[in-house]
Amino acid sequence: MAGSGGLGGGAGCGQGAGAGPGAALRAPRAPLLLAALVLGAYCLCALPGHCPPASRVPMPAPAPAEPPCVARRPGAPVLPVASGPGHRRFPQALIVGVKKGGTRALLEFLRLHPDVRALGSEPHFFDRSLMPRTLDGQITIEKTPSYFVTLEAPRRIHSMSPDTKLIVVVRNPVTRAISDYAQTLSKTPGLPSFRALAFRHGLGPVDTAWSAVRIGLYAQHLDNWLRYFPLSHFLFVSGERLVSDPAGEVGRVQDFLGLKRVVTDKHFYFNATKGFPCLKKAQGSSRPRCLGKSKGRPHPRVPEAVVRRLRDFYQPFNRKFYQMIGQDFGWD
């Protein structure tokens, strides 16, 4: 999380200290008045003997450039903060984790709902200017999977809003770790083997310092979150069931968010080539859409002895996690 992103922070985009609600309307008056004076001087030049030397004609100073405060779609026009319906709000719900669990799929599925407005990228910090506009009755959602394993995230999110709803997409920690490794390997071909990174000294102790292993310790991470939020604020979504029954899992999410079940099985089809469900019609399109090439990439072969040792290592953590949330994912 970026430390300077500013949770619950100061003025919104484009507002300096002390800027009131009418500042956006008052600001253009000075440039317009100056432009009128310049136009008057120009017209006066039409009379003989009244035109001063060109170097002395006052010119309006350019207004300081300010970054537009927008939520932009590719190819969409840039609009100022004062334009457009609705308001930018901090998100009422967050998909806080976990990496390689299915968070991107869940976000894309939820974006089909007309009452869900979601930021497409992972901002890793909170800034109202980044959020899409929402109308009354709509929910703003943001997704950054690293939040679940970041120590300071629960405190910062709680200070933003203690009523925030939190969604955690979890997956068998062994397959999640291998998927994490596959992603890193695709970007760093010379990476040591999965076995060399997951264990110390061959098949010795599991190396929990390696992030691919550490992320799967769900019970430990949840302990940190429960210091700030009650369990009732969480929904734990099965990454496996997002593949086998996307409509069922998305239905649970819609219930949790207090939304009508608009996204149903009619929106999905299973892509046998990719091995996961795709959308029959993507948001704003009449054409089918699957997640990108980085999703569903083949996993490297990991020896069965390595998988078994890692499964044994995770078993007590999984059981504690099941007890904490009252939900058994059947990973053991």
Side-chain angles (χ1 to χ4, degrees):
M1 289 184 61
S4 62
L7 215 132
C13 178
Q15 285 189 342
L25 297 176
R26 293 194 301 269
R29 290 180 180 174
L32 287 175
L33 181 58
L34 188 55
L37 291 173
V38 173
L39 182 59
Y42 174 80
C43 293
L44 193 60
C45 284
L47 299 176
H50 286 78
C51 187
S55 60
R56 299 181 62 186
V57 175
M59 296 298 292
E66 293 187 7
C69 189
V70 295
R72 246 191 122 191
R73 301 188 310 276
V78 176
L79 300 176
V81 68
S83 301
H87 304 280
R88 288 192 173 92
R89 304 178 176 93
F90 281 127
Q92 294 88 30
L94 294 172
I95 301 175
V96 298
V98 298
K99 179 184 179 185
K100 307 308 296 180
T103 58
R104 168 57 62 182
L106 178 60
L107 184 69
E108 292 303 312
F109 297 164
L110 287 175
R111 285 163 70 94
L112 293 174
H113 200 293
D115 290 334
V116 170
R117 298 286 287 125
L119 192 65
S121 60
E122 297 173 8
H124 296 272
F125 63 92
F126 297 93
D127 185 334
R128 258 186 290 252
S129 68
L130 295 174
M131 296 301 157
R133 292 184 177 279
T134 54
L135 303 174
D136 290 342
Q138 291 184 320
I139 291 177
T140 303
I141 293 181
E142 187 249 288
K143 172 191 83 82
T144 300
S146 63
Y147 289 158
F148 190 62
V149 299
T150 303
L151 284 176
E152 65 268 23
R155 176 186 57 79
R156 297 188 69 193
I157 293 171
H158 186 271
S159 70
M160 174 193 76
S161 172
D163 298 321
T164 305
K165 294 185 176 183
L166 305 163
I167 300 170
V168 188
V169 186
V170 289
R171 182 183 181 188
N172 185 318
V174 177
T175 54
R176 196 223 65 82
I178 296 172
S179 180
D180 198 337
Y181 173 77
Q183 182 183 56
T184 308
L185 185 65
S186 69
K187 301 174 182 177
T188 315
L191 205 64
S193 69
F194 181 86
R195 171 177 174 167
L197 293 170
F199 300 95
R200 302 191 192 99
H201 316 301
L203 279 180
V206 173
D207 190 356
T208 56
W210 186 33
S211 64
V213 168
R214 188 175 64 253
I215 289 172
L217 303 175
Y218 303 141
Q220 289 189 1
H221 303 307
L222 182 59
D223 262 336
N224 184 40
W225 284 84
L226 293 179
R227 294 169 54 201
Y228 298 90
F229 292 93
L231 192 61
S232 60
H233 282 224
F234 290 85
L235 179 70
F236 298 93
V237 175
S238 166
E240 287 83 9
R241 285 198 292 271
L242 270 180
V243 174
S244 63
D245 181 20
E249 284 300 279
V250 174
R252 293 179 59 239
V253 177
Q254 291 173 96
D255 293 345
F256 175 68
L257 296 176
L259 299 171
K260 182 180 178 181
R261 285 200 177 196
V262 172
V263 184
T264 63
D265 54 3
K266 69 181 180 182
H267 290 92
F268 303 99
Y269 75 95
F270 188 81
N271 187 308
T273 302
K274 285 185 170 289
F276 54 76
C278 299
L279 300 174
K280 291 181 180 178
K281 292 182 180 180
Q283 183 191 38
S285 171
S286 59
R287 303 178 61 182
R289 180 175 181 273
C290 288
L291 297 179
K293 294 180 180 179
S294 65
K295 306 301 179 182
R297 64 166 59 90
H299 290 178
R301 184 183 175 278
V302 177
E304 180 57 34
V306 172
V307 173
R308 187 166 50 251
R309 281 274 286 108
L310 206 53
R311 187 186 303 126
D312 292 344
F313 164 77
Y314 277 121
Q315 190 175 64
F317 296 99
N318 292 342
R319 290 178 178 174
K320 181 182 178 182
F321 183 59
Y322 299 161
Q323 292 172 355
M324 292 172 74
I325 68 174
Q327 188 175 347
D328 189 331
F329 290 95
W331 296 324
D332 304 316

